[in-house]
Amino acid sequence: MNIHEHQAKEIFRKYGVPTPKGFVAFKPENAVKAAQQLGGDLDVWVVKAQIHAGGRGKAGGVKLARSTEEVGMFAKELLGKTLVTHQTGPEGKTVHRIYIEEGAEIEKEFYLGMVLDRASEKPVMMASTEGGMEIEEVAAKTPEKIIKVEIDPAIGFQGFHGRKLAFGLGLSKDQVNKFISFAQALYHVYMDYDANLIEINPLIRTKDKKFVALDAKMGFDDNALYRQPEILAMRDLTEEEPTEIEAGKYGLSYIKLDGNVGCMVNGAGLAMATMDIIKHEGGQPANFLDVGGGASAETVAKGFEIILRDPNVKAIFVNIFGGIVRCDRVANGILEATKLTKVDVPVVVRLDGTNAEEASEILNNSGIENIISANDLKDGAKKVVSAAKGGK
Ligand code: GDP
Ligand code: MN
């Protein structure tokens, strides 16, 4: 789960990580009030679109206002606007809230981030002098400009971690300790909230030599949310794919993609293999869908309904291995689904495992025309890709 910049900054403040003062607003008039509250005599206010995606600066989602009236103008412009950044995809994201901040006087921009490194099985803190740039680009072109420290959670953040980062950034003596306190506080935020990502880009040094988090991005381990009620309360459903939320309610893991071949599979591994083989046969999957090991008629029916909500879907590939679930039950689920939802695209079915023969019989005797049976995975993938292209 992700949260908004203004929420991450709220958490930062609790831990003594310096951020500019700011207020969130959902309406232009509240944006103006926020600006007045911050101080009507400021030189600069910053109006920032709050969406769960970076790259807002380049896309016109971060505005510097010179007066409270200008704050109001920018607020009107941004609220309700669809912002397209390199992280949103071409459809963009609608701005429902903005953040009004006091402007900062930037002397230098840095990058500071923390992620879980699965290879070392430890959280890693990363810093760079190349702040404000896309860190992926820095990593690709000048990896030596990113300084990394692995932190063993058993010993926690130590002075030597901080010094390695601070010296790597070339900070002067008087700044090293300030930076280390900042980094240490950030480590505690990461650990206490079960985060799996924190990114401050840019972390700035102001003209009066203070370190301030100018941007803040946080992501969390979904499996830990049960013990993070404060984070769960920050969830913004408007940032999530509605069909993915609905699928979650029925215990289905559904991720929407851009292709036209709908996939209904049991087990995450088989679901990924299915997507691979569809691509191998020249098709594009429209989704990832794991109906779970114990797929029932109801979940299969729900799965069809969710897949078919995507207007791009031209054919569906049901690829289910009957291990825990019996194939005849899945076959009945498919019949059930065709009664509940109008399935008007070809459905290629490959059922294997327990009671596979009974399942074929059920489907063959069903009288449903759209169903094409497949002998195996490869055969199924070929048939569904061709069906999606309008062939037989
Ligand atoms: P992102 O593009 O989504 O990562 O949004 P950021 O919060 O990083 O803002 C983009 C850029 O706007 C930053 O890299 C800064 O250069 C600039 N910016 C943000 N806040 C201020 C501010 O208070 N003063 C000044 N001068 N620039 C700012
Ligand atoms: Mn940023």
Side-chain angles (χ1 to χ4, degrees):
M1 193 193 117
N2 298 321
I3 58 174
H4 287 291
E5 173 194 6
H6 74 92
Q7 295 165 325
K9 284 180 170 171
E10 228 172 83
I11 295 174
F12 282 10
R13 275 179 218 124
K14 280 191 195 168
Y15 278 70
V17 176
T19 63
K21 277 201 205 81
F23 296 102
V24 65
F26 294 81
K27 289 185 185 146
E29 53 272 30
N30 295 343
V32 175
K33 273 187 209 148
Q36 286 159 348
Q37 222 168 319
L38 287 169
D41 51 354
L42 289 176
D43 293 331
V44 178
W45 292 260
V46 187
V47 183
K48 306 182 80 175
Q50 299 293 288
I51 52 170
H52 287 185
R56 295 163 302 167
K58 276 188 199 148
V62 177
K63 307 275 190 192
L64 301 185
R66 302 281 165 188
S67 65
T68 53
E69 291 77 41
E70 222 177 16
V71 168
M73 268 173 42
F74 287 136
K76 272 198 199 110
E77 183 190 324
L78 287 177
L79 283 165
K81 185 178 170 172
T82 302
L83 210 58
V84 181
T85 82
H86 70 275
Q87 288 186 1
T88 58
E91 69 284 0
K93 282 195 166 220
T94 310
V95 181
H96 296 292
R97 56 176 98 181
I98 51 176
Y99 191 49
I100 320 300
E101 261 185 357
E102 58 182 11
E105 285 208 290
I106 303 174
E107 187 202 71
K108 176 152 182 55
E109 298 189 328
F110 299 93
Y111 172 94
L112 186 64
M114 234 183 125
V115 284
L116 178 69
D117 176 27
R118 288 168 202 278
S120 64
E121 301 175 2
K122 292 186 187 81
V124 170
M125 198 178 277
M126 291 172 289
S128 176
T129 51
E130 307 307 291
M133 310 237 313
E134 273 166 48
I135 199 68
E136 291 81 0
E137 206 179 308
V138 180
K141 288 189 186 148
T142 47
E144 71 282 1
K145 289 190 174 164
I146 300 177
I147 308 124
K148 293 184 193 172
V149 289
E150 288 171 6
I151 305 169
D152 186 334
I155 62 161
F157 186 91
Q158 301 291 324
F160 71 86
H161 294 125
R163 284 191 292 278
K164 184 172 173 198
L165 295 172
F167 296 153
L169 293 176
L171 299 181
S172 64
K173 238 179 176 175
D174 57 310
Q175 286 166 21
V176 168
N177 285 337
K178 272 191 227 170
F179 176 82
I180 292 177
S181 315
F182 189 110
Q184 186 163 30
L186 199 71
Y187 173 78
H188 288 299
V189 170
Y190 182 94
M191 296 306 285
D192 289 359
Y193 284 95
D194 291 308
N196 55 19
L197 171 88
I198 299 186
E199 210 171 42
I200 303 179
N201 192 17
L203 157 66
I204 58 159
R205 187 167 67 214
T206 57
K207 296 219 166 104
D208 52 356
K209 308 288 174 199
K210 289 190 182 116
F211 290 105
V212 178
L214 210 59
D215 192 7
K217 184 173 181 180
M218 281 187 87
F220 302 87
D221 180 350
D222 288 351
N223 292 319
L225 288 175
Y226 75 95
R227 62 180 189 191
Q228 298 292 350
E230 187 185 338
I231 301 304
L232 208 50
M234 291 180 175
R235 188 167 176 194
D236 180 356
L237 292 176
T238 65
E239 289 286 337
E240 298 177 27
E241 187 68 43
T243 39
E244 290 178 13
I245 299 169
E246 168 137 11
K249 287 186 198 152
Y250 294 88
L252 304 167
S253 308
Y254 171 87
I255 310 284
K256 192 180 171 311
L257 301 168
D258 306 328
N260 61 8
V261 179
C263 303
M264 171 133 55
V265 190
N266 65 336
L270 187 58
M272 289 204 265
T274 305
M275 289 168 26
D276 282 347
I277 198 158
I278 287 170
K279 284 210 164 203
H280 183 75
E281 295 298 337
Q284 291 294 338
N287 66 280
F288 168 97
L289 175 62
D290 173 9
V291 294
S296 66
E298 296 76 43
T299 48
V300 170
K302 196 72 204 174
F304 266 107
E305 189 195 321
I306 284 169
I307 291 174
L308 285 166
R309 272 190 218 168
D310 176 355
N312 294 335
V313 170
K314 296 284 177 280
I316 297 177
F317 188 15
V318 179
N319 182 21
I320 292 201
F321 184 79
I324 301 169
V325 58
R326 300 187 331 244
C327 293
D328 54 321
R329 283 185 61 185
V330 176
N332 280 322
I334 297 171
L335 297 191
E336 191 85 9
T338 57
K339 280 181 212 148
L340 296 171
T341 319
K342 189 168 174 284
V343 181
D344 49 5
V345 298
V347 179
V348 176
V349 182
R350 179 245 173 179
L351 293 170
D352 209 346
T354 314
N355 293 0
E357 278 123 53
E358 288 89 329
S360 321
E361 233 164 81
I362 293 170
L363 292 174
N364 291 339
N365 298 333
S366 69
I368 306 170
E369 299 166 17
N370 293 353
I371 294 184
I372 303 164
S373 67
N375 307 323
D376 55 37
L377 192 52
K378 195 173 170 64
D379 181 48
K382 274 206 175 101
K383 284 177 173 160
V384 79
V385 170
S386 136
K389 285 181 180 155
K392 260 284 155 191

